[in-house]
Amino acid sequence: MERNEFIKSLGLGVAMVCTGACFSACGKKGDSPDPSKPAGGGVPPGTTASVDLGTQLLTVGASVVVSGILFIRTATGNATTSFAATQAVCPHQGGSLSFIQANNYIQCSLHSSRYTTTGSVLAQPNDGGTTSALKVYPITVSGTTLTATA
């Protein structure tokens, strides 16, 4: 093989390897969530997080994220039925979730997926992908401390 032919074949081989690496790194819009995020963005089982109701979640519609859990005050009073606790990360592609009080739903910052405070899907992502229901965590109230456990 002549030197010129060797250099051409070497260049073609490198181009094919680079192209293959690029294609294997790409995914489609509806791919599963990042496997490093436990339970599609939920927190690891056994995780607990607490909120002080004397200083946080003072008004209906208030929300706060603690240790990967989105706490929301849905009604007045300090009964467990006045609150919701869900995962704080969207199961679609890991966007942060926020409670939109004016519309009474949880929305993803990345692709506008929407959920109820009970975790049900209201709207699929606007990128053509699909999402699943949010993980909802059981909560307890002891005095002025609201606690959720994954």
Side-chain angles (χ1 to χ4, degrees):
M1 174 181 293
E2 291 188 22
R3 181 177 151 174
N4 196 20
E5 289 175 7
F6 174 75
I7 291 173
K8 284 182 185 177
S9 67
L10 181 64
L12 182 60
V14 169
M16 291 184 76
V17 167
C18 289
T19 302
C22 287
F23 283 137
S24 68
C26 295
K28 62 185 185 299
K29 289 181 182 177
D31 280 349
S32 298
D34 182 348
S36 69
K37 293 185 176 103
V43 296
T47 299
T48 61
S50 297
V51 173
D52 179 2
L53 297 176
T55 59
Q56 298 174 298
L57 302 180
L58 298 174
T59 59
V60 174
S63 63
V64 65
V65 174
V66 178
S67 300
I69 297 175
L70 174 63
F71 289 92
I72 304 164
R73 178 181 281 278
T74 58
T76 59
N78 283 356
T80 56
T81 55
S82 297
F83 303 95
T86 70
Q87 65 188 78
V89 175
C90 183
H92 172 239
Q93 288 187 347
S96 62
L97 296 174
S98 300
F99 182 65
I100 310 299
Q101 178 185 4
N103 298 315
N104 196 37
Y105 58 66
I106 299 166
Q107 183 168 315
C108 175
S109 62
L110 286 180
H111 301 110
S112 300
S113 302
R114 291 191 305 264
Y115 308 88
T116 66
T117 56
T118 60
S120 299
V121 177
L122 287 173
Q124 292 292 337
N126 64 13
D127 71 344
T130 57
T131 190
S132 57
L134 296 181
K135 300 222 178 286
V136 176
Y137 305 115
I139 53 179
T140 58
V141 176
S142 178
T144 60
T145 301
L146 173 67
T147 302
T149 304

